[in-house]
């Protein structure tokens, strides 16, 4: 069943690639095929999202529509690695690094991405903004506040919040980029 779902999701972007074989269409198709493998594949690990982030980063600055689809993916890619760094000694490093990266990324990429010739989609822009805004409180809660409030009880809750947050970001980014790719 996963093979059928993956193939079906990949065929959507491959049809456009065969109809319009350009570099940007190719990179978009590689990115969407990576999404399909990640979302519908049999085994997914946190680091597997790099199969999507790396090719997408090549076209993320094409215009603000692409950047709007890339932003939730990049944020969820960083946040998804947090449960792998769980000791108290790693907390300040991962938190400071991620917040610094998030602010730098948002400021730099927003300045570099040109305005799009095509109209932007209001809902996708708002999703991207809301998703990115929730990242810092989520990081603080999962890394610090949960331990203070509950101690060792309910240790699964931060992981559940992080996994759900990242799943929403990846799926939202996939839908957003699929719309951008098919309307470009």
């Amino acid at each position: 069943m996963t093979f059928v779902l993956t193939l079906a999701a990949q065929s959507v972007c491959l049809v456009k690639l065969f109809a319009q074989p350009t570099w940007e269409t190719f990179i978009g198709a590689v990115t969407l095929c990576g999404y399909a493998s990640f979302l519908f594949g049999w085994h997914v690990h946190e680091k597997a999202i790099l199969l999507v982030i790396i090719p997408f980063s090549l076209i993320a600055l094409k215009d603000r529509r692409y950047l709007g689809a890339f932003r939730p993916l990049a944020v969820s890619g960083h946040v998804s690695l947090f449960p792998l760094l769980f000791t108290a000694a790693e907390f300040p490093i991962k938190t400071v690094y991620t917040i610094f990266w998030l602010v730098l990324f948002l400021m730099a990429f927003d300045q570099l991405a040109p305005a799009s010739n095509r109209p932007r989609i209001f809902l996708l822009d708002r999703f991207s903004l809301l998703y990115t805004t929730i990242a810092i409180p989520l990081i603080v809660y999962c890394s610090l506040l949960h331990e203070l409030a509950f101690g060792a009880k309910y240790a699964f809750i931060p992981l559940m919040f992080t996994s759900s947050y990242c799943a929403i970001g990846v799926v939202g980014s996939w839908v957003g980029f699929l719309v951008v790719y098919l309307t470009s």
Side-chain angles (χ1 to χ4, degrees):
M1 186 63 169
T2 60
F3 175 75
V4 172
L5 288 172
T6 304
L7 187 62
Q10 289 178 350
S11 64
V12 172
C13 62
L14 292 176
V15 167
K16 181 175 180 179
L17 174 63
F18 292 136
Q20 297 174 323
T22 64
W23 183 82
E24 289 165 353
T25 308
F26 173 72
I27 296 299
V30 168
T31 301
L32 286 169
C33 286
Y35 270 116
S37 296
F38 184 82
L39 292 170
F40 303 113
W42 179 256
H43 176 73
V44 175
H45 192 271
E46 294 88 352
K47 294 175 287 205
I49 197 62
L50 291 173
L51 293 173
V52 182
I53 291 173
I54 291 171
F56 202 167
S57 66
L58 297 173
I59 56 173
L61 292 177
K62 181 179 177 191
D63 64 37
R64 293 200 179 259
R65 290 175 14 146
Y66 283 78
L67 180 61
F70 179 71
R71 193 178 292 134
L73 176 68
V75 172
S76 68
H78 274 72
V79 173
S80 71
L81 298 176
F82 268 43
L84 300 176
L85 306 168
F86 55 87
T87 64
E90 296 165 333
F91 169 73
I93 296 168
K94 73 179 182 182
T95 304
V96 169
Y97 166 77
T98 302
I99 292 172
F100 176 73
W101 173 86
L102 190 61
V103 170
L104 185 68
F105 160 73
L106 292 176
M107 289 173 48
F109 275 39
D110 280 342
Q111 294 295 320
L112 294 172
S116 175
N117 295 334
R118 297 184 181 265
R120 291 167 60 184
I121 299 168
F122 177 80
L123 238 86
L124 297 177
D125 284 345
R126 295 303 166 248
F127 167 76
S128 179
L129 178 66
L130 179 65
Y131 186 81
T132 305
T133 305
I134 293 172
I136 294 174
L138 176 80
I139 292 166
V140 171
Y141 174 78
C142 292
S143 299
L144 183 64
L145 296 179
H146 180 81
E147 183 82 23
L148 295 174
F150 298 108
K153 289 173 55 177
Y154 310 116
F156 66 92
I157 291 178
L159 182 60
M160 181 182 69
F161 283 167
T162 302
S163 295
S164 299
Y165 175 80
C166 293
I168 290 167
V170 171
V171 171
S173 175
W174 174 58
V175 169
F177 184 57
L178 196 57
V179 169
V180 169
Y181 180 80
L182 294 175
T183 60
S184 293

